[in-house]
Coordinates of all heavy atoms in Angstrom, one line a residue:
M603 N -23.0 211.5 73.9 CA -23.6 210.2 73.8 C -24.2 210.0 72.4 O -24.7 208.9 72.0 CB -24.6 210.0 74.9 CG -24.9 208.5 75.1 SD -26.2 208.3 76.3 CE -25.3 208.0 77.8
G604 N -24.3 211.1 71.6 CA -25.0 211.0 70.3 C -24.4 210.0 69.4 O -25.1 209.5 68.5
G605 N -23.0 209.8 69.4 CA -22.4 208.9 68.5 C -22.4 207.5 69.0 O -21.9 206.6 68.3
M606 N -22.9 207.2 70.2 CA -22.9 205.9 70.7 C -23.9 205.0 70.0 O -24.9 205.4 69.6 CB -23.2 205.9 72.2 CG -23.1 204.6 72.9 SD -23.5 204.7 74.7 CE -22.0 205.4 75.3
S607 N -23.5 203.7 69.9 CA -24.4 202.7 69.3 C -25.7 202.7 70.0 O -25.7 202.7 71.3 CB -23.7 201.4 69.3 OG -24.7 200.3 69.0
P608 N -26.8 202.6 69.3 CA -28.1 202.5 70.0 C -28.2 201.3 70.9 O -29.0 201.3 71.9 CB -29.1 202.3 68.8 CG -28.5 202.8 67.6 CD -27.0 202.6 67.9
L609 N -27.4 200.2 70.6 CA -27.5 199.0 71.4 C -26.8 199.3 72.8 O -27.1 198.6 73.8 CB -26.7 197.9 70.8 CG -27.4 197.4 69.5 CD1 -26.5 196.3 68.8 CD2 -28.8 196.8 69.7
L610 N -25.9 200.3 72.9 CA -25.2 200.5 74.1 C -25.9 201.6 75.0 O -25.5 201.8 76.1 CB -23.8 200.9 73.8 CG -22.9 199.8 73.1 CD1 -21.5 200.3 72.8 CD2 -22.9 198.6 73.9
R611 N -26.8 202.4 74.3 CA -27.5 203.4 75.1 C -28.5 202.8 76.0 O -29.2 201.9 75.7 CB -28.2 204.4 74.1 CG -27.3 205.3 73.4 CD -28.1 206.3 72.6 NE -27.4 206.6 71.4 CZ -27.9 206.7 70.2 NH1 -29.1 206.6 70.0 NH2 -27.1 207.0 69.2
R612 N -28.6 203.4 77.2 CA -29.6 203.0 78.2 C -30.9 203.6 77.8 O -30.9 204.8 77.5 CB -29.2 203.4 79.6 CG -28.0 202.6 80.1 CD -27.8 202.9 81.5 NE -26.6 202.3 81.9 CZ -26.2 202.1 83.2 NH1 -27.0 202.7 84.1 NH2 -25.1 201.5 83.5
K613 N -32.0 202.9 78.0 CA -33.3 203.5 77.8 C -33.6 204.3 79.0 O -33.2 204.0 80.1 CB -34.3 202.4 77.6 CG -34.2 201.6 76.4 CD -35.3 200.6 76.3 CE -35.2 199.8 75.0 NZ -36.2 198.7 74.9
E614 N -34.3 205.4 78.8 CA -34.8 206.2 79.9 C -35.7 205.4 80.7 O -36.7 204.8 80.2 CB -35.5 207.5 79.3 CG -35.7 208.5 80.4 CD -36.3 209.8 79.8 OE1 -35.8 210.2 78.8 OE2 -37.3 210.3 80.4

Side-chain angles (χ1 to χ4, degrees):
M603 200 185 264
M606 185 180 285
S607 165
L609 296 174
L610 299 176
R611 283 188 214 137
R612 291 184 184 195
K613 291 182 181 178
E614 189 174 315

